[in-house]
């Protein structure tokens, strides 16, 4: 699911003549931790209950090493039933102007995607589905 999602994001970027994003294991780790945290903690938000922001999560990894700075973005999504597929999720993100802006930003060079076949009860109401996190990043030199 994660690889398919990144492939679909890159397809959208290629259709607009934007450079493709490179899969990054540090950003993928942040994405995996984020979806796990949301499902376990029964929340759906960029900032976790502990106050950890997407930037603080990335800064705690090796991603920023060797670079004077980083810029990051994050898209979160969930779906139930037939709306839980990578295709549906990427389509829904593209239909949302703020999410589309992040996905199509020419600033980002790397991405990490994670998906889990569960949805926080607070949004999924006990239905079967999937939760996604896409972390976007660039090392600023």
């Amino acid at each position: 699911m994660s690889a398919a999602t990144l492939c679909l994001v890159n397809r959208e970027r290629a259709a607009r003549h934007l450079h493709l994003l490179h899969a990054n294991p540090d950003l993928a780790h942040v994405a995996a931790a984020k979806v796990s945290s949301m499902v376990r903690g029964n929340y759906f938000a960029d900032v976790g209950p502990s106050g950890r922001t997407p930037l603080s999560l990335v800064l705690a990894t090796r991603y920023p090493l060797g670079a004077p700075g980083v810029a990051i973005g994050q898209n979160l999504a969930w779906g139930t039933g037939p709306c839980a597929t990578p295709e549906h999720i990427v389509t829904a993100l593209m239909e949302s102007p703020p999410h589309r802006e992040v996905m199509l930003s020419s600033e980002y060079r790397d991405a990490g995607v994670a998906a889990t076949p569960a949805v926080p009860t607070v949004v999924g109401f006990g239905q079967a589905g999937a939760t996604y996190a896409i972390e976007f990043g660039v090392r600023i030199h």
Side-chain angles (χ1 to χ4, degrees), residues 91-141:
T91 298
L93 291 170
M94 286 298 293
E95 291 173 354
S96 164
H99 294 99
R100 182 177 55 246
E101 183 179 342
V102 172
M103 278 200 332
L104 299 180
S105 171
S106 62
E107 176 180 25
Y108 301 123
R109 298 288 185 254
D110 306 306
V113 181
T116 189
V119 180
T121 305
V122 69
V123 294
F125 310 107
Q127 297 181 49
T131 304
Y132 293 76
I134 309 172
E135 307 296 332
F136 301 88
V138 63
R139 292 178 181 96
I140 300 169
H141 297 285

Side-chain angles (χ1 to χ4, degrees), residues 15-35:
R16 290 156 182 84
H17 307 289
L18 296 167
H19 61 270
L20 302 184
L21 299 170
H22 299 102
N24 180 275
D26 293 313
L27 295 177
H29 177 75
V30 170
K34 184 64 181 180
V35 294

Side-chain angles (χ1 to χ4, degrees), residues 32-118:
K34 184 64 181 180
V35 294
S36 176
S37 173
M38 288 190 300
V39 170
R40 272 186 294 110
N42 195 29
Y43 73 95
F44 186 80
D46 291 320
V47 178
S50 67
R52 301 282 312 261
T53 65
L55 180 59
S56 70
L57 295 172
V58 171
L59 291 177
T61 71
R62 297 175 42 97
Y63 186 74
L65 293 180
V70 297
I72 61 104
Q74 176 179 264
N75 278 345
L76 304 176
W78 63 274
T80 57
C83 297
T85 66
E87 294 85 359
H88 181 83
I89 293 297
V90 171
T91 298
L93 291 170
M94 286 298 293
E95 291 173 354
S96 164
H99 294 99
R100 182 177 55 246
E101 183 179 342
V102 172
M103 278 200 332
L104 299 180
S105 171
S106 62
E107 176 180 25
Y108 301 123
R109 298 288 185 254
D110 306 306
V113 181
T116 189

